Amino acid sequence: MRALKEGLKFHANAIKSGLTPNIFTANQLIHLYSKLGFVGEACKLFDEMPERNVYTWNAIINAHIKSQNFTAAQFFFDSAPCKDSVTYNSLISGYANSEGHENMALNLFVQMQYESESVKVDEFTLTTLLNLVAKLRVLCYGRQLHSYMVKTNNDSSRFAVTSLIDMYSKSGCYEDAWSVFNGSGGQGVTDVVVKNAILAACCRKGELELAQEIFSTQLELNDNVSWNTMISGYVQNGCEDESIELFKCMADEGFNWDVHTFATVLNACSTLKSLKLGKEIHAWVLKEGMLASPFIASGIVDVYCKCGNMGYAESVHKTFGTRNSFSITSMIVGYSTRGSMLEARRLFDSLAEKNIVVWTAMFSGYVKSQQYEDVFHLFREFQNKERTVADALIVVSLLSACATQASIDLGKQIHAHTLRMRIKTDEKTVGALVDMYSKCGNISYAESTFQRARAKDLVVYNVMIAGYAHHGYEYEAIKLFQEMKQTGLQPDAVTFVAILSACRHCGLVEEGEMYFSSMTEDYAITPETDHYACMLDLYGRSNQLEKAVAFFDKMPIEPDTIILGTFMNACKMNRNLELARMAENKLLEVEGDNGARYVQLANVYASEGKWDEMRRVMKRMRRKAAKKLTGRSWVHVGNDVHVFKSGDRSHSEAEAIYFTLECLIQELCDVLAFDNLI
DNA sequence: GTAGGGTTAG
């Protein structure tokens, strides 16, 4: 490399001293310098050239684009005394391929159309723009470009065909991609890039058999990319084992594994959560010397995280990727899944510049670990430190924390934030909003959010139906269930839990039985614990203990604590101590260390005045040293939540709190006394 | 001199 650099310098000096005053050679040299990364040298030569033409200007603009210096590229573009299509195409392509400059590319394209005669939109411009609109997913622009290409006869070269197939496929229009492919000769094409583009399109659509057929015809055409596309296609469609087979086959057929191959196969390992395979691939990666690639390093870290081996993940991370945000995100998720939030936080703090994905991983981690206070603290930190707006995924985490903490005020603020910032409300956001309002006790807000939303999937309906059921609007729940079916959505197991609980709350035995049998007969859903518990509760609340007993005996699953607890409750409501005693041993056998169960049992006996039996149960509980979790309440003051239990004096302001409470009690007594006087 | 296909984290 050094020899080449010296050679280039010698050549440049020769030109400058007039030995070969050839503008063509100098332009070539600028290009060569830029290709080797010597932008400084390219600039120096450009400055010293006695004469320049449009090629010289294009070469220097490209040199700056290559080094990602867009300020300089734009400066030279603006200063160029002469421009041609290449000048425009180069800068448009530079902007189109860099993050955050996409709008500049579009503006330049508009500007290009008002330029002089020497600047014409050509196939280079159009294919670059097709790539851009595929990246930005603006299908309407893509279609306009396609029409323009047909009109100007720019739609039939292999470059045009590839870009069109790719644009349509990435925009979700598989049929259009396919018709472009067919129009260009279909399976008779001899260009490997066109072939690979349609292979990728088939894989994206899940048409694996067709992809395999295309892959196998004209085998001699296939290159590394064809193999990588197929391997990736299998992973995308959940066929990880087949992808591994093809990966091995690729080497047998004499094709070299590259960074793309390994990145894809590592992805398969992560999905399979196979530590054994992960280690094998890790060994191959080491053998091929590919760990320097950030794609591969973070891929290996991700595999170990998904397999739950944080020790291995940590050691690869330490050696290769301490600044790799992908690697750090995988580690945060890995630690969060195990509930190690301190470790997750350590990694989060190790990243100087945090992107939205890392933030989201941290938010979800706290939600997963039920550390809701930390969710809110993190949000304040996010707002203070970042300029970017919390996106839909962060909003979902925040709303989920609000729902569990019943923080309706904060929930409303977050809702307002999504509206103000025009955050795209997809099904997940709508579901989280409806759930938050419903769990915070405001069913009418939940309802209006639901009704206004355009994006509604099964989960959104489930949340709303469950909300109605919990708030005692059983008939609305049933009505919405019917409406949901009419829209063509298929109810799932969660829908039936919601609808059965609506039935049990208002004692609709016949309807409940009808839904329960419809669930298995019409939708082939196997009932789970919650469904059985709902039915038992329904019978219990409707004073139909015989039916409850018959149902209990017929259940094909071993009764667990939830079912036994519900059954016990049914016995209590129907004042049947005999059956309660029967369930008692079984219940304590399954869940003998849960204090709440003993208390529930004791209550059954107490409600019938069987004090001896109640004492016996409580004694049994003490013998087992089982403790019932203390019920707690909380209040929101400002941005903080204060948790307390009955008679709690642990709060730092306890003195003042109890003093105020005394005052309030006194005032109430005074009011009551005053009322009595009147 | 400018353009096309296959790879990561929430």
Side-chain angles (χ1 to χ4, degrees), chain A residues 363-364 366-372 375-376 392-407 410-411 414 428-429 431-437 439-440:
Chain A
F363 277 111
S364 319
Y366 281 136
V367 171
K368 239 184 287 175
S369 314
Q370 302 181 322
Q371 291 177 226
Y372 303 110
V375 176
F376 300 138
L393 281 167
I394 293 183
V395 162
V396 168
S397 280
L398 288 167
L399 289 172
S400 142
C402 292
T404 320
Q405 295 283 78
S407 310
L410 191 58
I414 292 159
K428 280 194 175 156
T429 330
L433 278 169
V434 175
D435 192 46
M436 180 275 292
Y437 281 128
K439 290 199 175 132
C440 290

Side-chain angles (χ1 to χ4, degrees), chain A residues 632 643-645 647-655 657-658:
Chain A
R632 287 169 199 268
V643 182
F644 62 95
K645 58 187 180 191
D648 200 335
R649 285 198 167 263
S650 63
H651 195 279
S652 56
E653 300 286 332
E655 285 297 317
I657 292 168
Y658 279 97

